[in-house]
Amino acid sequence: MPKLSVNVDHVATLRQARKAREPDPVAAAVLVELAGADGITVHLREDRRHINDRDLQLLRHTVKTHLNMEMAATDEMVNIAREIMPDMVTLVPEKREELTTEGGLDVLQKTKELQMAISTLHSSEILVSLFVDPDLKQVRESARIGADYIELHSGEYANATDIAQETEQWEKIRDMAMAGEKLGLGVNSGHGLTYQNVSRIIQIKQIEEVSIGHSIIARAVLVGLERAVSEMLALVRR
Ligand code: PXP
């Protein structure tokens, strides 16, 4: 059965809009777990625009399911991860000016720094996933440099404007999920997934987990977090 990791960055985004103390992403993570989600994801950005070091430290103490830390492959972040010891690190590309993570990692361009980050994280026994576009070269290179998992970027699938385009993008994700599995990688997927488009993605049986943030937090503002999470879980586990 596919798993759901809920990204609570947007709870911190709302807090930071006022530089206030609430809403607290740590409290949100407790509710997300009580609603039955399989894990919590947070992205500690270099500029700390939403999640900060305090959040991550508290989450490590409070998350009882699975804590996935998204981060850039920098020395600073690798050192923080080795202190915090999340259950998994997902390495993502990071640009200061972007609103959210835009594309997947270019594993072929950044081989050396990714390989170094992977081996340092492995020396602390932290599993490493690489966020990549559904592209065979990226998937192959991820396996070659020792990643444990790939997270296939579902943004193009989510942004499709008609069914033919959506099917084309879905097929890419399906094919790369199969390729990843053959190469011995665990396969996750995420970005842009919603209550409307998640069902097709979880038909791909190689996908172990979906990582979803914006859509769940947006619904939670209107219906409450526990209901938003359980409605997504009902779709993911169907
Ligand atoms: N996976 C990765 C690697 C991401 O960077 C993000 C966005 O923070 C997500 C999943 C979740 O995307 P969304 O907020 O669109 O559900």
Side-chain angles (χ1 to χ4, degrees), residues 7 9-10 70 92 100-101 131 151 190-193 211-214:
N7 182 317
D9 292 353
H10 289 293
E70 290 177 9
V92 299
T100 179
T101 315
F131 182 56
E151 180 180 330
H191 213 285
L193 295 178
S211 169
I212 307 180
H214 186 266

Side-chain angles (χ1 to χ4, degrees), residues 181-233:
E181 184 189 47
K182 271 203 190 131
L183 290 161
L185 293 162
V187 181
N188 297 329
S189 187
H191 213 285
L193 295 178
T194 66
Y195 295 82
Q196 287 73 39
N197 67 23
V198 73
S199 299
R200 271 190 107 181
I201 286 292
I202 51 110
Q203 282 168 16
I204 302 170
K205 66 177 193 305
Q206 288 78 12
I207 292 179
E208 289 180 31
E209 182 178 274
V210 284
S211 169
I212 307 180
H214 186 266
S215 178
I216 293 175
I217 303 303
R219 182 171 291 216
V221 171
L222 302 180
V223 305
L225 191 51
E226 292 186 69
R227 181 165 150 198
V229 171
S230 48
E231 286 175 0
M232 185 59 84
L233 276 172

Side-chain angles (χ1 to χ4, degrees), residues 105-153:
L105 287 164
D106 191 341
V107 189
L108 292 114
Q109 277 280 320
K110 305 258 175 195
T111 309
K112 259 206 177 136
E113 75 185 66
L114 291 172
Q115 213 163 14
M116 198 119 89
I118 291 170
S119 77
T120 311
L121 292 163
H122 277 172
S123 70
S124 293
E125 298 187 0
I126 300 171
L127 286 172
V128 185
S129 178
L130 301 185
F131 182 56
V132 292
D133 292 329
D135 174 283
L136 188 56
K137 286 196 201 113
Q138 301 293 344
V139 174
R140 280 205 183 123
E141 191 66 358
S142 301
R144 194 188 72 75
I145 67 170
D148 305 291
Y149 275 79
I150 46 172
E151 180 180 330
L152 292 170
H153 193 330

Side-chain angles (χ1 to χ4, degrees), residues 70-85:
E70 290 177 9
M71 58 180 230
T74 61
D75 290 347
E76 183 202 7
M77 288 299 153
V78 169
N79 288 335
I80 293 173
R82 293 178 80 196
E83 257 173 53
I84 297 287
M85 294 294 293

